[in-house]
Amino acid sequence: MSLALPALAETVIRRGNGGEPQSLDQAQISIDIEGFIIRDLSEGLTVYDAKGKVSPGAAESWTVSDDGKVYTFKIRDAAKWSDGSPVTAADFVYSMTRLLDPATAAGYANILYPIKSAEAFNQKKAKAEDLGLKAVGEKSLEITLERPTPYFLQLMTHYTALPVNKASIEKDGKDFTKPGKMVTNGAYMLTEYVANDHITAVKNPNYWDAANVKIDKVIYNPSEDQAATERMFENGELDMAYNYQADQRDFLTKKLGADQVFASPALSTYYYAFDSRHEPFSDVRVRKALSMAIDRDFLAEKIFGGAQLPAYNLVPEGMEGYTSPKFDIADMDQLDREDAAKALLKEAGYGEGGKPLKIDIRYNTNENHKKVAIAVADMWKAVGATVTTQNLDVKAHYAYLQEGGQFDVARAAWAADYADPENFLNLLVSTNKAFNYGHWTNAKFDALMKASYEERDQAKRMQIMQEAEALALNDYPITPMMNYASLWLVSRKVKGFEENTVNEHLTKYLSIE
């Protein structure tokens, strides 16, 4: 007689995601909490491995022409969509063309601008057939660039380069991201989405590397309440949690153990943007004074427990070949800065005997950001300002900024999509409507950035970008405050989690012991 073998238990991981995604459409996302989910569902030509290194993804290999302008990707024969149909070169042509189509209104379309005619097409100055995207066989994709782009393989890991299923979009339209309808090519496929409660994905049996995917189900908790997610982690209700309260780092380390509390160095910058479209923030003296009044050491040490580092530059340290420009205020004593700030505000007509300086700080709901806003408000009150604060959930906060909503001062942060200074400096280019939140414009800065794109010599290119950063930050359209660390709680039963500067942790690399 035969004996029935017991079914293996389903392996489930519960991830605290740090917030609710705006969308699961690659063309409509822009921040890490969306990326954590979408990169589990969809796989680009290249991916970041567990250590943060660019590795083959849907493409098993590629070649680059001698002039650095033509990349030919060989897509895996085994690459399939979750419905079992093959992933083809035409799928990537369709997906990137769709994202660049001005009708799609993708805020992140500029990531693909190195592709031939991409910027022109996105700005209605060229046609889709002009794009440097060509399927030269079912499994061979040729991408021609405007100019050599040293970080192009990093760009291909980005949300904007992830494929979408044409048949699914044509059938379901905007509903193509809904559970039961979404067709994906990554290690997982979407099965549930209950807003503000949970998002569930299960292992994709048609994924080319499914045999090595050890976790059967991922449940993402989208709560922004860090105290609550910390308790859930402590109680075993979450196996991982992104963004704990930084000032609780020492307490959590003592309570949970250093092997479960991570603060990983990251290529990212925490900053406030000034809305330069209206007074008083259209006055560089006011912007500089407010930047000088911020005690970055206090924020980094007292609020973030040393998990962040004080910063005066937009581009974080660690970009190969790049030397950040130095700023005079960085070496000043904080009390001297406050005195200089008061003098600048008086010169601009604010403070004693002048106009009242009223400031409203907007931030996305998060205990860390709330504490920073309260601290900065106190610092600005010390130089004569009246300060209020308001907050929205992360989804609404960034949607408001990206849609051009007016504000006084807004909290923002940028984590590197690729390890090149251009990724940060591009935030201040006048044509970057989605991410130049304060709508600052400077023709010389734009010209320098344009020159950096055209410069083939890497050392000269870095010098041009250094000049651009110095020019921009001496005009104070933003005030950088800290360089981030990525904060994670990770259960010791989760294996395969590696600290990396790009803060990418695909579930396919993880396992549960």
Side-chain angles (χ1 to χ4, degrees):
M1 60 181 291
S2 61
L3 296 174
L5 295 174
L8 294 175
E10 184 178 52
T11 305
V12 180
I13 190 168
R14 295 167 175 82
R15 298 181 56 148
N17 199 56
E20 181 87 20
Q22 287 190 52
S23 173
L24 293 180
D25 179 351
Q26 289 89 315
Q28 306 301 333
I29 65 176
S30 63
I31 53 180
D32 50 9
I33 60 171
E34 297 159 344
F36 296 144
I37 300 171
I38 199 65
R39 282 195 176 104
D40 273 348
L41 300 174
S42 300
E43 183 171 87
L45 297 165
T46 58
V47 299
Y48 285 118
D49 68 12
K51 295 181 183 294
K53 179 184 175 183
V54 174
S55 303
E60 65 183 11
S61 62
W62 50 83
T63 58
V64 186
S65 62
D66 291 340
D67 65 1
K69 292 172 65 174
V70 181
Y71 285 69
T72 304
F73 293 90
K74 170 66 171 67
I75 296 169
R76 299 176 187 276
D77 289 334
K80 293 181 180 180
W81 293 98
S82 53
D83 66 358
S85 59
V87 174
T88 67
D91 290 324
F92 283 93
V93 172
Y94 169 79
S95 301
M96 286 187 253
T97 302
R98 170 184 177 264
L99 190 134
L100 287 163
D101 190 331
T104 304
Y108 235 148
N110 63 291
I111 288 287
L112 298 181
Y113 279 5
I115 296 172
K116 181 177 176 290
S117 298
E119 182 173 9
F121 174 56
N122 187 241
Q123 297 181 3
K124 302 181 180 180
K125 297 175 183 176
K127 298 177 181 178
E129 50 264 35
D130 298 325
L131 290 170
L133 297 168
K134 184 180 179 183
V136 290
E138 185 179 65
K139 294 286 186 175
S140 182
L141 173 68
E142 183 180 280
I143 302 181
T144 303
L145 308 183
E146 287 281 357
R147 63 192 71 84
T149 304
Y151 47 87
F152 185 67
L153 291 175
Q154 294 184 61
L155 298 190
M156 291 297 95
T157 71
H158 194 260
Y159 326 132
T160 49
L162 298 180
V164 289
N165 186 276
K166 181 180 180 182
S168 173
I169 291 176
E170 289 179 343
K171 177 184 176 185
D172 297 311
K174 291 183 179 180
D175 289 340
F176 85 95
T177 59
K178 290 187 175 180
K181 295 183 178 181
M182 193 173 191
V183 178
T184 55
N185 76 318
Y188 293 89
M189 51 190 188
L190 185 70
T191 56
E192 286 184 287
Y193 191 153
V194 180
N196 301 308
D197 189 81
H198 70 276
I199 299 166
T200 303
V202 300
K203 183 175 173 178
N204 174 9
N206 288 306
Y207 179 57
W208 66 269
D209 198 28
N212 291 312
V213 176
K214 298 178 175 65
I215 291 175
D216 300 309
K217 180 185 289 186
V218 195
I219 301 174
Y220 308 90
N221 181 300
S223 174
E224 296 174 35
D225 186 334
Q226 292 169 324
T229 55
E230 288 162 16
R231 288 193 299 272
M232 291 179 72
F233 181 84
E234 290 173 39
N235 294 335
E237 298 168 58
L238 290 175
D239 303 304
M240 300 170 62
Y242 180 51
N243 265 346
Y244 56 81
Q245 297 176 90
D247 62 355
Q248 299 294 303
R249 181 185 174 197
D250 288 344
F251 171 78
L252 290 168
T253 299
K254 289 173 184 175
K255 188 173 186 178
L256 302 172
D259 61 336
Q260 297 194 109
V261 182
F262 293 84
S264 311
L267 297 175
S268 56
T269 303
Y270 189 119
Y271 66 94
Y272 275 3
F274 299 112
D275 193 335
S276 61
R277 293 171 291 184
H278 66 87
E279 294 183 350
F281 310 100
S282 54
D283 189 327
V284 65
R285 295 170 297 183
V286 173
R287 299 195 299 265
K288 182 174 182 179
L290 295 176
S291 184
M292 294 176 80
I294 296 174
D295 186 341
R296 293 157 174 80
D297 294 293
F298 176 88
L299 299 179
E301 289 298 325
K302 301 301 182 183
I303 293 179
F304 284 92
Q308 319 285 15
L309 294 174
Y312 297 86
N313 292 73
L314 175 57
V315 179
E317 297 293 330
M319 300 288 186
E320 185 177 353
Y322 185 75
T323 302
S324 297
K326 302 298 181 184
F327 295 95
D328 56 353
I329 70 169
D331 296 324
M332 292 175 68
D333 179 81
Q334 188 60 37
L335 292 176
D336 292 337
R337 279 190 214 152
E338 286 184 19
D339 290 340
K342 290 176 183 176
L344 272 175
L345 291 173
K346 185 175 181 180
E347 182 185 320
Y350 296 92
E352 288 184 25
K355 295 175 285 187
L357 179 59
K358 297 181 178 180
I359 305 170
D360 183 65
I361 301 173
R362 302 180 71 102
Y363 65 92
N364 54 292
T365 309
N366 174 296
E367 282 303 310
N368 293 334
H369 306 331
K370 178 181 179 180
K371 291 167 186 172
V372 169
I374 292 171
V376 171
D378 287 340
M379 295 167 193
W380 286 347
K381 287 172 186 174
V383 296
T386 300
V387 188
T388 56
T389 65
Q390 64 172 303
N391 62 292
L392 292 170
D393 65 77
V394 64
K395 178 179 176 180
H397 175 75
Y398 278 108
Y400 182 83
L401 296 180
Q402 290 165 15
E403 290 164 8
Q406 286 209 343
F407 59 92
D408 291 345
V409 180
R411 180 265 164 191
W414 194 261
D417 298 307
Y418 43 95
D420 191 274
E422 185 275 342
N423 188 223
F424 287 82
L425 297 177
N426 182 264
L427 300 176
L428 298 176
V429 171
S430 61
T431 54
N432 192 345
K433 303 300 183 185
F435 300 112
N436 184 353
Y437 301 134
H439 297 262
W440 177 75
T441 60
N442 185 292
K444 186 175 180 183
F445 176 82
D446 288 351
L448 285 168
M449 290 305 295
K450 184 174 185 294
S452 77
Y453 295 128
E454 296 167 354
E455 179 56 63
R456 290 288 304 275
D457 184 288
Q458 187 72 340
K460 290 179 180 177
R461 176 175 169 269
M462 291 296 179
Q463 290 174 358
I464 292 169
M465 288 192 288
Q466 182 192 55
E467 184 181 347
E469 183 177 15
L471 184 153
L473 293 192
N474 276 311
D475 203 41
Y476 295 89
I478 65 170
T479 179
M481 296 190 288
M482 290 167 286
N483 289 138
Y484 256 108
S486 300
L487 307 179
W488 285 92
L489 300 176
V490 183
S491 169
R492 55 179 63 92
K493 71 180 181 180
V494 175
K495 303 303 177 184
F497 181 90
E498 299 268 2
E499 296 182 88
N500 60 65
T501 57
V502 292
N503 196 27
E504 288 298 335
H505 307 283
L506 298 180
T507 305
K508 78 171 202 168
Y509 297 127
L510 305 177
S511 61
I512 298 288
E513 189 176 76

